[in-house]
Amino acid sequence: METKQIQETLQMIDEEHLDIRTITMGISLFDCIDSDPKKACQRIYQKITTKARDLVKVANDIEMEYGVPIVNKRISVTPIAMVAAAANTDNYVAYAKILDKAATDIGIDIIGGFSALVQKGYQSGDYKLIDSIPEALSETTKVCSSVNIGSTRAGINMDAVAQMGQVVKDIAAIDPLKCMNLVIFANAVEDNPFMAGAFHGVGEADCVINMGISGPGVVKRALEQVKGQPFDIVSETIKKTAFKVTRVGQFVGTIAAKRLNVPFGIVDLSLAPTPAQGDSVAEILEEIGLESVGAPGTTAALALLNDAVKKGGIMACEHVGGLSGAFIPVSEDQGMIKAVQAGKLSLEKLEAMTAVCSVGLDMVAVPGDTTAATISGLLADEAAIGMINNKTTAIRIIPATGQSVGEDINFGGLFGHAPIMHVNQSQPTDFVARGGRIPAPVHSFKN
């Protein structure tokens, strides 16, 4: 890098909230499968604590040497529904607990992969894992769970949609905050480093390092220099900024992979906001020209942002992957929170925005009396957006038990807080109860 680029990068870190949001080690657990669940759990613990033994130390060393903040150290593993399918047990909570113990013992922040892929149907392990999710999340502190309910190629598993609506309600009845640890996907990707939806895909290597890098503040600062300029200039400015940011992820990831003696996987350049001032995706959209996020034009502005981020990232890195684009989690973005509180951003507008962003309805709080059928309907809508547009969509929704519209639920730390949003009270009960599978769209047939 040239001296000017180094100076710009230092400014991004010091003043504009550029950081490595996560270094995530993906670990395959297929060689841990055993019909005896105790033996399987022992093997899982042994493999994770061996492979990731130095992950935290290496990340801390790199942070100290190069001055690049690495906010989270994480692990993703093979979907446990596959790993545990051969075990003689009907409950997979023990698997969640051993993941939690391994994560705690090696000092990482979060571990993902208590997951099932049911977009086209269930196998025995999927049923058992999904039934175990509420108890597993309630009895662990670092475990994240995800379920893929649809895809462009397979369609949408409406039986799973109905089941997951009830699972969300069951978790909320125990502790609404634990709903943060569950993501329900369509078109889930295998190399996602971000939580709560990360799992280590079956097509991945035995062990890899994936990087998630973020910097909404960097993009906003760059756009402040091109006020009033045409959209061509706006797009080009975002692309150039994304290029610089992605290079940092590539640089740090390559060093980390070499020191850990594992392959370097991908860089996921996702503009992931935090509650910190100046670290907001909503403020980027407002800098583009909106009075407030949620105004007419919001979806178009977000589409421009998401596309330009991807284009800049692809040119900067050997392997860009994960979700790469812009996240719009309500609770983690001060601009989103203000817009909801002011009545300028509705759940319906958020849903429209998910058609063009990286994921979906993320960290959205709804009234505690929201029915399971309504949550399932929201899941189906998001899955349909993902299926038709051949993109990843997801929901992380929190029914705030005992609370109603206008109140606020606090998640703490990077997760922030969220105003509870109004949900349409018309019920999709009969729609959800039909079951079966919504067929894949005609444009899914590519062969």
Side-chain angles (χ1 to χ4, degrees):
M1 297 178 71
E2 296 177 357
T3 302
K4 182 181 178 183
Q5 290 176 311
I6 294 172
Q7 291 172 338
E8 288 175 347
T9 302
L10 290 173
Q11 179 181 332
M12 291 176 184
I13 294 167
D14 291 339
E15 302 176 16
E16 300 165 12
H17 302 285
L18 171 63
D19 59 49
I20 304 292
R21 189 56 50 85
T22 179
I23 178 171
T24 302
M25 177 177 280
I27 302 174
S28 172
L29 299 181
F30 280 125
D31 53 357
C32 301
I33 292 173
D34 197 289
S35 59
D36 183 339
K38 290 184 179 179
K39 290 182 179 178
C41 286
Q42 289 170 356
R43 291 177 178 177
I44 289 170
Y45 179 84
Q46 182 65 31
K47 183 161 188 182
I48 292 173
T49 55
T50 300
K51 289 286 186 180
R53 178 181 61 244
D54 296 325
L55 178 61
V56 173
K57 180 181 182 302
V58 166
N60 290 340
D61 287 348
I62 292 172
E63 186 172 3
M64 290 295 294
E65 288 175 37
Y66 296 98
V68 180
I70 302 176
V71 180
N72 287 290
K73 295 83 178 176
R74 298 168 172 169
I75 291 173
S76 63
V77 299
T78 308
I80 292 298
M82 298 179 181
V83 177
N88 295 320
T89 180
D90 291 327
N91 186 297
Y92 291 171
V93 174
Y95 286 83
K97 288 182 176 179
I98 204 66
L99 294 178
D100 200 50
K101 177 174 170 53
T104 300
D105 289 353
I106 60 177
I108 63 162
D109 298 290
I110 309 175
I111 187 165
F114 196 75
S115 307
L117 311 178
V118 296
Q119 58 268 25
K120 203 169 184 179
Y122 294 88
Q123 47 96 352
S124 62
D126 297 324
Y127 285 114
K128 295 173 184 177
L129 182 128
I130 292 172
D131 286 342
S132 300
I133 289 174
E135 184 182 356
L137 295 185
S138 69
E139 295 192 12
T140 58
T141 58
K142 296 179 180 288
V143 172
C144 288
S145 180
S146 60
V147 177
N148 194 63
I149 57 171
S151 72
T152 299
R153 190 68 178 170
I156 303 171
N157 182 345
M158 289 301 294
D159 294 323
V161 167
Q163 185 179 15
M164 292 312 299
Q166 187 58 55
V167 166
V168 171
K169 288 289 289 183
D170 291 344
I171 297 169
I174 300 169
D175 181 358
L177 298 187
K178 287 295 183 179
C179 293
M180 294 189 304
N181 291 30
L182 172 65
V183 178
I184 301 151
F185 277 113
N187 289 322
V189 297
E190 296 192 338
D191 56 4
N192 172 23
F194 284 96
M195 299 294 175
F199 62 86
H200 189 65
V202 298
E204 295 288 307
D206 184 64
C207 185
V208 297
I209 285 291
N210 295 319
M211 307 298 294
I213 191 164
S214 185
V218 178
V219 176
K220 181 178 183 296
R221 181 69 67 89
L223 290 177
E224 289 173 355
Q225 309 306 311
V226 294
K227 285 183 182 294
Q229 296 295 311
F231 284 112
D232 315 76
I233 304 299
V234 172
S235 177
E236 189 66 20
T237 300
I238 296 170
K239 286 192 312 188
K240 288 179 178 178
T241 306
F243 179 92
K244 296 173 186 175
V245 170
T246 307
R247 293 297 287 176
V248 175
Q250 168 94 6
F251 174 72
V252 173
T254 301
I255 294 171
K258 184 176 181 180
R259 293 186 184 183
L260 290 164
N261 196 31
V262 299
F264 175 48
I266 57 92
V267 173
D268 182 330
L269 172 57
S270 288
L271 299 181
T274 72
Q277 190 68 34
D279 205 21
S280 163
V281 169
E283 290 176 0
I284 297 175
L285 302 180
E286 291 164 3
E287 185 62 40
I288 291 174
L290 302 171
E291 179 183 347
S292 169
V293 64
T298 296
T299 305
L302 182 58
L304 167 70
L305 173 64
N306 205 58
D307 181 66
V309 166
K310 290 179 185 289
K311 287 174 179 174
I314 287 170
M315 295 301 294
C317 184
E318 296 170 5
H319 301 289
V320 173
L323 299 169
S324 287
F327 290 175
I328 52 171
V330 174
S331 76
E332 300 170 24
D333 189 311
Q334 285 296 329
M336 296 281 182
I337 293 169
K338 290 177 183 177
V340 172
Q341 290 173 333
K344 297 178 179 179
L345 180 61
S346 67
L347 190 61
E348 289 76 14
K349 185 60 176 179
L350 269 174
E351 185 177 284
M353 293 165 67
T354 67
V356 298
C357 75
S358 288
V359 277
L361 293 175
D362 193 14
M363 293 299 290
V364 172
V366 297
D369 61 0
T370 303
T371 66
T374 295
I375 293 171
S376 293
L378 291 169
L379 293 178
D381 285 344
E382 278 300 303
I385 289 171
M387 175 183 73
I388 294 296
N389 291 299
N390 195 26
K391 69 178 290 292
T392 302
T393 50
I395 279 192
R396 196 161 38 149
I397 191 166
I398 296 92
T401 304
Q403 295 185 272
S404 56
V405 175
E407 295 184 72
D408 195 272
I409 182 169
N410 195 332
F411 304 110
L414 286 175
F415 297 107
H417 66 97
I420 296 168
M421 302 183 72
H422 170 75
V423 181
N424 191 314
Q425 295 301 298
S426 298
Q427 292 298 300
T429 307
D430 293 342
F431 170 77
V432 172
R434 285 181 179 272
R437 183 157 54 95
I438 293 179
V442 65
H443 59 261
S444 70
F445 305 118
K446 299 289 187 182
N447 289 340

